[in-house]
Amino acid sequence: MLGRQEGADALVQRLLDDPQPALRYSGVCTLALAYCGTGSNKAVRKLLHAAVSDVSDDVRRMAVMSLGFILFRKPSAVPRIVELLSESYNPHVRYGAAMCLGLAAAGTGLEEAIDILEPMTKDSQDFVRQGAFLASALIMVQQNEAQNPKAGTIRKTLQKVVGDRHEEAMTKWGASVSLGILDAGGRNCTISLQTQTGNLNMNGIVSALIFTQYWYWFPFTLFLSGAMTPTAIIGVDQDLEIPNFKFYSATRPSVFGYPPEQEVKTSEEPEKVKTAVLSTTAQAKRRKQAKERQARRESMDVDHTPTTPKAVEDDKMDVDEETQKPNKDEKADEATNESKGEGGEKEGTPAPEGASKKKIEKEKVGYELENMSRVLPAQLKYITFPEERYKPVKKPTGGVILLTDTKPSEPKNLLEMRAKKTATAAAPTAGATQQSGSTAGTGVETTTGGALAGAGVLTAVDEDDDGGEEADLPHEFDYQSDNEEDG
């Protein structure tokens, strides 16, 4: 029923009117696939009616979630529709609203959707927080802080939840999966329900729908990979070969660059645990101190007045004068350094100018990219092809692009796509002795056991070479029964 629209109305209506909740659930899914990406008002009204009137929480949850499949081509309209549903008293409706935002605005970094999801990450229900984290990750795929300032905050929140020992297991699972979604494909993939040219991505739509069913079985989470598409420009010529050329992006490198890598602590020193002090120990210490003070008072009353010895000139400490003098000198040096620093700043030394030049060079607008480079969907409108030889046949839409070679008579400079095979030592054959020895000419010791000798028959000769010699056949087996018959 994918894309059937009005052709599926009769089946959808029968399923929605059925008394069984499972069939009504399937009717909602069928309606979502039939009108996927159309933005049909009729389908939206049916789903909203089921979301607020059905007696089954599962049907209501799926009805709100299905709004994302119908409106994914108009992601900016989704926050206004589900804003009230995100504050519903029913936690299943709140969860459906979160996932609806994630599916509709996947990979767009929509700020309105993030504003709605942010308070939902602190919901009282664990599965609502799980859905809010997953939806936030779907929206923030391939987003850095230059595009969306909340990208770093969301990642830190997810890491904090994963490491929190007091957090619910369901919420921690959602946060850990969300971190994987943010780094999907080495941050070279996005999640999209339509192709680069704007058509429905059937594989992506069905995979996303199955992914939402992880509610019933967690392995369904793996189906989200079917909705991921690589974000790159791969130019090929008329012979489907990949030439080595460059194209131009009229943006700063930091705008669509990779998010900064997370620092991983290599070693953590164990923190010293403070020794617990018992109340009885403290009381004993206080009693001991009181006794010592009392003893000192008694001794002071008994002892005679001590005679103070006269100060001798030789006993004077010479350290004080020596320590005071360098302090004065140091203060003078610091004052001169400060005056020099202030003067240098006023006069304008070349060091800060060089630093400012470096900053300007790092953030200069426009840079070149090699063929088969990472290019985000939002970056395509800034891509141009100043190369004189290779020109795209049509406006670039990402993915594989056919190029026109304006100089076919000149030799091509192609990208090397196949790694060279390295020469490897031949594996031991079946007749090799099962002893440890040294390889001839190398001095490297090799040990062949029974398993290695058996495997050597298969790996002795490269099976990929058509003209190579075949491996030796195994020897015939001798049975004791044959010897008895001969005797």
Side-chain angles (χ1 to χ4, degrees):
M1 290 296 172
L2 180 61
R4 292 287 300 274
Q5 297 187 25
E6 288 83 1
D9 286 347
L11 176 61
V12 169
Q13 193 60 42
R14 288 201 306 270
L15 292 173
L16 292 177
D17 294 338
D18 196 276
Q20 293 293 331
L23 293 180
R24 295 199 303 274
Y25 187 96
S26 62
V28 169
C29 296
T30 306
L31 180 62
L33 294 179
Y35 288 91
C36 186
T38 60
S40 173
N41 292 329
K42 180 177 67 174
V44 170
R45 283 196 299 269
K46 286 185 178 181
L47 291 176
L48 289 176
H49 177 72
V52 299
S53 63
D54 201 279
V55 296
S56 174
D57 288 335
D58 292 340
V59 177
R60 298 179 70 175
R61 182 182 65 249
M62 192 62 205
V64 181
M65 204 183 308
S66 299
L67 293 171
F69 289 96
I70 296 177
L71 299 171
F72 73 83
R73 284 179 173 167
K74 300 177 182 178
S76 58
V78 179
R80 291 184 288 106
I81 296 176
V82 301
E83 185 175 5
L84 294 177
L85 296 175
S86 64
E87 300 174 359
S88 173
Y89 71 93
N90 192 329
H92 293 267
V93 175
R94 297 199 301 270
Y95 171 86
M99 293 300 294
C100 172
L101 289 170
L103 293 170
T108 61
L110 190 63
E111 294 184 2
E112 292 83 358
I114 295 296
D115 293 338
I116 296 175
L117 291 172
E118 191 171 2
M120 299 179 71
T121 57
K122 303 174 183 178
D123 197 273
S124 59
Q125 290 290 333
D126 53 356
F127 63 86
V128 177
R129 297 196 300 273
Q130 178 195 79
F133 287 140
L134 290 173
S136 300
L138 292 173
I139 296 172
M140 300 302 292
V141 170
Q142 289 191 325
Q143 299 288 317
N144 55 19
E145 293 187 358
Q147 296 172 273
N148 195 318
K150 295 183 179 180
T153 305
I154 292 174
R155 184 179 288 272
K156 290 179 181 179
T157 303
L158 293 174
Q159 292 174 344
K160 181 180 178 182
V161 172
V162 171
D164 190 357
R165 293 182 298 175
H166 305 287
E167 187 60 77
E168 298 290 341
M170 190 175 292
T171 306
K172 292 178 69 174
W173 180 88
S176 60
V177 173
S178 300
L179 286 173
I181 294 173
L182 288 176
D183 298 331
R187 304 178 188 178
N188 295 319
C189 292
T190 188
I191 297 172
S192 179
L193 304 184
Q194 58 183 348
T195 61
Q196 299 282 0
T197 56
N199 298 322
L200 292 179
N201 182 9
M202 183 180 297
N203 186 28
I205 293 170
V206 176
S207 299
L209 182 63
I210 299 176
F211 162 72
T212 59
Q213 307 307 308
Y214 77 86
W215 180 278
Y216 303 102
W217 198 40
F218 282 126
F220 281 139
T221 309
L222 302 175
F223 278 84
L224 184 62
S225 60
M228 295 179 182
T229 56
T231 53
I233 285 183
I234 305 173
V236 297
D237 57 8
Q238 63 273 14
D239 298 327
L240 298 182
E241 295 177 335
I242 302 175
N244 186 9
F245 76 101
K246 296 182 180 180
F247 51 92
Y248 187 78
S249 176
T251 58
R252 292 189 297 272
S254 61
V255 176
F256 298 104
Y258 286 99
E261 295 183 1
Q262 299 297 320
E263 297 181 359
V264 181
K265 294 182 180 179
T266 55
S267 62
E268 293 184 358
E269 296 182 357
E271 297 181 358
K272 294 183 179 180
V273 181
K274 294 182 179 180
T275 306
V277 180
L278 300 176
S279 59
T280 55
T281 306
Q283 291 176 1
K285 286 184 178 180
R286 285 196 295 269
R287 286 195 297 268
K288 184 178 179 181
Q289 292 174 359
K291 290 180 180 179
E292 290 177 355
R293 285 196 297 269
Q294 185 66 25
R296 283 198 299 270
R297 290 196 192 98
E298 294 176 357
S299 63
M300 289 174 66
D301 295 340
V302 174
D303 292 344
H304 299 284
T305 305
T307 58
T308 57
K310 295 181 180 179
V312 185
E313 293 182 357
D314 296 338
D315 294 339
K316 292 182 179 179
M317 295 179 66
D318 298 335
V319 182
D320 296 337
E321 296 179 359
E322 294 177 0
T323 54
Q324 291 176 359
K325 289 180 181 179
N327 288 340
K328 294 179 181 179
D329 297 338
E330 289 176 0
K331 291 180 180 178
D333 294 338
E334 291 177 359
T336 53
N337 292 334
E338 290 177 359
S339 62
K340 288 180 181 179
E342 292 175 358
E345 292 176 359
K346 292 179 181 178
E347 295 174 2
T349 58
E353 289 181 2
S356 61
K357 285 182 180 179
K358 288 181 180 179
K359 290 181 180 179
I360 295 173
E361 289 177 0
K362 288 182 181 179
E363 291 298 321
K364 66 179 181 180
V365 178
Y367 60 100
E368 290 184 341
L369 291 169
E370 299 281 348
N371 191 13
M372 299 184 67
S373 294
R374 172 182 183 263
V375 177
L376 274 63
Q379 190 180 1
L380 290 172
K381 56 185 177 183
Y382 302 104
I383 298 297
T384 56
F385 290 81
E387 183 79 19
E388 295 181 357
R389 180 170 182 177
Y390 295 103
K391 299 290 183 181
V393 175
K394 63 175 185 176
K395 184 179 179 180
T397 56
V400 180
I401 297 176
L402 185 61
L403 302 173
T404 302
D405 189 358
T406 58
K407 301 176 182 178
S409 59
E410 296 183 3
K412 297 180 182 179
N413 183 13
L414 302 178
L415 290 176
E416 184 67 25
M417 299 300 297
R418 186 178 300 174
K420 295 181 179 179
K421 292 184 178 180
T422 57
T424 57
T429 58
T433 58
Q434 299 180 4
Q435 297 178 357
S436 61
S438 59
T439 307
T442 60
V444 180
E445 295 185 357
T446 59
T447 305
T448 58
L452 292 177
V457 178
L458 300 177
T459 59
V461 181
D462 190 359
E463 297 177 355
D464 296 334
D465 297 337
D466 296 333
E469 59 174 312
E470 296 181 356
D472 298 334
L473 294 175
H475 299 288
E476 296 182 357
F477 294 98
D478 295 332
Y479 296 97
Q480 295 180 359
S481 58
D482 296 337
N483 297 331
E484 293 175 357
E485 291 178 0
D486 294 340

